Amino acid sequence: KPPPSARLATGPSGAAMPPGKVAKKPAASKAKGLKAAAKSKVAARAKAVGGGDTNGSKYESVDALWEQELKGEKGRDGWYAQGESYWNGQDASIDGVLGGFAETHGPDIRESKRFLELLRRSGDLTVRAGDGSALDCGAGIGRGTAGLLRDPFCQGGLVEA
């Protein structure tokens, strides 16, 4: 093991730094820029990932899937009609909206609360607990609003089409 004076430190880029040199943390604006660039790269990779659907069709990317799903005479209307038909056959209950897996409700709400707290701590969610408003879009039966958003925000609303 080399003595501490002979070891090389690494900087933010991973490059070796001379002994005695201290790596500085990037400035807040630079850190935000790096964070935005990383999110952009992740989004681009996610769009480029291929896969398949429940009918066994294969797609090169997310865009290719949506192009196929929304084309033709039915297009967007057909897509939403399938969803509407499915949900009309489900109970308006936690078990119904979770496809028979009501036991996942508690862990889902718990981990979602944890996620909100992580956003607060990182500074990405600037509203303090007990302040602000929340809007649950696609609220369904209000499972998320009742279990997740009602307590940490002073006002809330639901939207379901």
Side-chain angles (χ1 to χ4, degrees):
K1 185 174 181 179
S5 61
R7 287 190 216 139
L8 291 177
T10 57
S13 67
M17 295 176 53
K21 194 91 161 154
V22 176
K24 294 181 182 177
K25 290 185 178 181
S29 61
K30 185 176 179 183
K32 285 184 181 181
L34 292 172
K35 187 186 250 185
K39 284 181 183 179
S40 178
K41 286 180 184 178
V42 169
R45 271 188 260 139
K47 285 185 89 175
V49 172
D53 64 18
T54 55
N55 297 327
S57 299
K58 301 291 181 199
Y59 302 96
E60 292 178 13
S61 67
V62 172
D63 288 337
L65 174 132
W66 283 112
E67 185 178 315
Q68 180 66 31
E69 288 292 334
L70 300 179
K71 79 176 188 181
E73 290 181 26
K74 291 185 179 179
R76 185 178 297 273
D77 292 337
W79 172 261
Y80 287 108
Q82 285 179 334
E84 185 178 353
S85 175
Y86 172 81
W87 287 111
N88 283 337
Q90 303 303 311
D91 287 337
S93 66
I94 290 176
D95 195 51
V97 300
L98 293 176
F101 295 98
E103 66 274 10
T104 64
H105 172 71
D108 176 46
I109 296 298
R110 181 187 67 236
E111 293 305 311
S112 295
K113 285 179 179 178
R114 186 171 158 260
F115 178 66
L116 283 178
E117 186 56 33
L118 289 172
L119 289 175
R120 275 196 185 93
R121 288 181 186 175
S122 71
D124 290 325
L125 179 62
T126 57
V127 176
R128 292 187 326 244
D131 286 344
S133 301
L135 179 62
D136 187 354
C137 298
I141 64 168
R143 183 180 76 86
T145 302
L148 176 65
L149 302 175
R150 182 175 49 196
D151 293 334
F153 295 95
C154 68
Q155 291 185 335
L158 294 90
V159 176
E160 182 57 53

